[in-house]
Amino acid sequence: MADLNELKQRLVAANLNLSGIEVRSPLELRVSVPRQRLIGFADYLRAEVHARPELIVAEDTRLENRGFALRYIFEMEGAAGFVIASVSVPAEDTTFPSLATRWYLASRFEREIHDLFGLVPTGHPDLRRLPLHQFWPAHYHPLLKDVTVRQDFADEGEAYPFRRVDGEGLYEITVGPVHAGIIEPGHFRFSVDGETIINLESRMYFVHKGIEKLFESATLVQEVKLAERISGDSSVAHALAFCQAVEALAGVTLPPRAAYLRVVLLELERLYNHIADVGAICTDTGFAVANAHALRLREDLLRLNGRLVGHRLLRGTLVPGGVARDFTAEQIADARDSIDRVVADFDEIVEIATHNGLVLDRLRGTGRLSKQTAREMQVVGVPARASGIDEDARRDHPFAAYARLSPRVIVYSEGDVWARLMVRVEEAREAARLIGSALEALPSGRLTVPLDALPEGEAAFGLVEGWRGPVWHWVVGGRNNTLRRVKIKDPSFANWPALNYAILENIVPDFPLVNKSFNLSYAGNDL
């Protein structure tokens, strides 16, 4: 169902005791849901419009209304619009009904809320700590507004309660959190029978940095820079999602030239990352020559980024209301020529790699993630599309100039490492096409529009299809043109748990290959 006005009428008639039902735009319906009616409301949306919560946000609003607010952003299958439900939680009773047994992703958001705010999801089957590790003080919740800095952090040796798999001939292999390569920390605990993996449990958040808390004390200019640094290889995606959220909050319309330039920037980021990933996957099959050439092409693209905007990772290019950099005719010609050369070389690398029997033997059938599992776990982005899920925010929820450029969504059904490789290959080619189309159709005009004052207490979100998958930023206006709450969802938050399932019944030596085919962000997940 795409018509939110019709859905509004059906919600009114459903006798769910709702209030404040309002269609804010053709893409957004907002509703207030009594706490005790949340499960019935969620079940209704799932049954009637195939909705699922893609983002759950907690806000400490005790200064304003003596309680907390929960926001549930439901995405409806096959529809462009969203349903945003608000639930009030009184300060004297900080419990709320859990949706964990209905949606796995909801269980992770609820564990996060329990750690960071101290709210308790009743009926949750697994409230082990998620972002906070065991050395954090008990009953210390860092996103509360009245939290005070504490110094009594001490690791007393309390182990995280990993689940154990016992049986004759079974044993555990622990990997991390400190790794041999120059990568970020994550702990992986394998239960194996011989070399066959029968269970994997992962523990992240070793680089939890309190980024959402940092947003509360920053200016808008500082916040864009902070967004760019959430996950370095997704600088454009996070900055763009943040800018779109602020623009929606301010109610401004982006200038057409800025919209097209944003497409170019986001696709440049997609292109250099996908090419590098294709090479890295080939390396883990033992075909290192492909990686050598892929890294050469990545370097060519990073140098192009530097020539275009002055930064290899495209930072400093986005501002709320538009873009900070324009392209000259010479730069546009440079971009076209450079990308054409890179894509021609990339096609040769792909041709050699995908006709190498040793490479294909390692890729096909390895690390398979079924469509059913991917759907149930709300997997997004490249792994989802490689498992047959036809979703891409550039097409389904168009932003910037994508509605006028008609991006092609790449979908494979095999769900294995080969499919994830091929999704990247074809998305890289499509990124090059979109860059060329955007540059060819680039309109003249302004690069930015001024922002009006941000309305205090109002909220909005930005959604961007980054190269890993959808990036969400939720913002709430504060006093004096500040933001009092920013909530971020990187695609890695949804996808890390799926790796635990994709690796099952594979052998231990295949883990690096399967892991690389997902290529998830520690920093983006840990925040």
Side-chain angles (χ1 to χ4, degrees):
M1 174 185 293
D3 188 342
L4 294 183
N5 286 296
E6 180 185 346
L7 177 58
K8 174 183 176 180
Q9 297 306 317
R10 292 176 64 177
L11 287 172
V12 170
N15 194 29
L16 295 171
N17 196 28
L18 308 175
S19 61
I21 306 178
E22 177 187 3
V23 177
R24 290 281 186 96
S25 73
L27 300 178
E28 192 173 310
L29 184 151
R30 298 206 180 190
V31 56
S32 295
V33 181
R35 184 171 45 158
Q36 66 275 17
R37 293 289 188 132
L38 174 62
I39 290 179
F41 171 77
D43 286 346
Y44 179 89
L45 286 184
R46 181 169 64 171
E48 295 296 320
V49 294
H50 305 290
R52 58 188 182 273
E54 286 293 332
L55 184 66
I56 303 177
V57 185
E59 301 168 21
D60 183 354
T61 55
R62 287 174 296 168
L63 291 177
E64 294 77 24
N65 57 25
R66 300 180 181 179
F68 298 86
L70 295 174
R71 317 287 188 184
Y72 295 79
I73 295 84
F74 287 89
E75 183 176 9
M76 297 177 288
E77 188 174 329
F82 300 89
V83 177
I84 301 177
S86 297
V87 176
S88 296
V89 178
E92 62 273 12
D93 177 13
T94 56
T95 63
F96 64 98
S98 172
L99 301 180
T101 58
R102 288 159 170 80
W103 292 282
Y104 176 76
L105 190 60
S107 74
R108 287 175 55 77
F109 280 119
E110 290 169 358
R111 288 171 67 187
E112 184 182 56
I113 290 169
H114 182 244
D115 278 5
L116 301 180
F117 288 88
L119 308 185
V120 181
T122 56
H124 196 293
D126 178 15
L127 271 183
R128 290 177 297 168
R129 284 187 165 185
L130 190 65
L132 303 187
H133 279 240
Q134 312 314 108
F135 57 81
W136 283 75
H139 310 297
Y140 182 59
H141 308 291
L143 286 191
L144 295 178
K145 293 296 185 184
D146 56 356
V147 70
T148 56
V149 176
R150 293 180 57 172
Q151 303 295 332
D152 56 338
F153 287 69
D155 189 349
E156 299 178 353
E158 180 183 355
Y160 179 76
F162 284 98
R163 294 191 178 93
R164 295 187 60 86
V165 179
D166 296 316
E168 185 177 354
L170 304 184
Y171 63 99
E172 280 190 345
I173 299 174
T174 60
V175 177
V178 178
H179 299 278
I182 306 174
I183 62 173
E184 293 172 287
H187 183 91
F188 303 94
R189 185 164 296 199
F190 301 85
S191 297
V192 298
D193 181 3
E195 281 199 324
T196 302
I197 300 168
I198 61 173
N199 188 65
L200 169 62
E201 191 168 4
S202 307
R203 183 76 172 114
M204 300 293 148
Y205 293 97
F206 292 92
V207 286
H208 175 62
K209 302 168 289 296
I211 283 180
E212 291 179 357
K213 189 70 174 179
L214 292 174
F215 272 100
E216 296 178 9
S217 59
T219 66
L220 278 179
V221 173
Q222 293 170 332
E223 286 168 335
V224 175
K225 293 180 180 179
L226 184 57
E228 290 176 331
R229 286 155 177 81
I230 289 169
S231 182
D233 54 19
S234 299
S235 295
V236 174
H238 274 285
L240 182 51
F242 175 77
C243 288
Q244 287 183 182
V246 171
E247 289 154 7
L249 188 64
V252 301
T253 301
L254 197 66
R257 186 173 181 87
Y260 277 85
L261 288 173
R262 285 183 171 185
V263 169
V264 173
L265 295 168
L266 188 61
E267 296 305 320
L268 282 169
E269 185 169 82
R270 192 182 320 275
L271 183 59
Y272 84 74
N273 277 296
H274 277 349
I275 289 177
D277 273 0
V278 169
I281 291 170
C282 289
T283 286
D284 283 336
T285 70
F287 194 52
V289 66
N291 190 45
H293 286 290
L295 289 177
R296 170 177 61 83
L297 299 181
R298 176 182 182 269
E299 177 63 24
D300 288 345
L301 290 170
L302 293 178
R303 292 182 182 186
L304 172 63
N305 293 345
R307 294 195 301 272
L308 291 175
V309 303
H311 197 288
R312 287 162 60 89
L313 298 181
L314 301 169
R315 290 177 182 167
T317 58
L318 295 167
V319 294
V323 295
R325 301 272 185 170
D326 202 357
F327 295 165
T328 65
E330 291 77 12
Q331 287 176 313
I332 291 173
D334 181 17
R336 286 174 170 167
D337 290 344
S338 297
I339 291 170
D340 286 345
R341 288 196 303 271
V342 165
V343 171
D345 278 4
F346 179 63
D347 286 343
E348 290 187 18
I349 297 169
V350 172
E351 178 72 14
I352 294 170
T354 56
H355 286 79
N356 183 309
L358 295 177
V359 173
L360 293 179
D361 285 346
R362 290 292 308 281
L363 300 182
R364 291 192 182 275
T366 303
R368 179 172 282 120
L369 183 69
S370 71
K371 182 177 181 179
Q372 179 180 349
T373 300
R375 177 65 75 187
E376 289 175 352
M377 299 192 74
Q378 291 173 257
V379 173
V380 294
V382 169
R385 291 190 285 275
S387 293
I389 296 176
D390 187 2
E391 293 178 353
D392 190 312
R394 294 174 296 173
R395 178 199 63 193
D396 303 335
H397 310 291
F399 54 93
Y402 283 107
R404 296 183 285 276
L405 295 172
S406 302
R408 183 170 68 96
V409 178
I410 313 301
V411 180
Y412 278 72
S413 61
E414 291 82 354
D416 54 8
V417 174
W418 178 82
R420 291 189 280 275
L421 175 86
M422 293 309 298
V423 167
R424 286 181 169 89
V425 167
E426 295 196 32
E427 285 192 358
R429 292 167 174 160
E430 178 64 5
R433 185 194 70 81
L434 288 168
I435 292 168
S437 297
L439 291 174
E440 183 177 357
L442 189 63
S444 59
R446 296 181 297 173
L447 297 181
T448 61
V449 292
L451 297 186
D452 295 329
L454 302 180
E456 184 178 354
E458 290 294 315
F461 70 90
L463 171 60
V464 166
E465 187 72 34
W467 67 274
R468 280 193 179 93
V471 174
W472 297 72
H473 279 236
W474 172 271
V475 301
V476 182
R479 296 179 180 176
N480 302 320
N481 226 34
T482 62
L483 298 175
R484 73 184 190 201
R485 176 76 171 109
V486 175
K487 171 61 188 166
I488 302 149
K489 179 193 173 189
D490 185 270
S492 297
F493 180 82
N495 289 350
W496 269 117
L499 178 62
N500 298 347
Y501 288 82
I503 196 61
L504 296 180
E505 298 183 6
N506 290 260
I507 61 175
V508 173
D510 277 337
F511 176 70
L513 177 61
V514 178
N515 187 21
K516 177 54 66 177
S517 74
F518 277 76
N519 192 12
L520 304 174
S521 171
Y522 296 86
N525 177 82
D526 294 6
L527 294 177

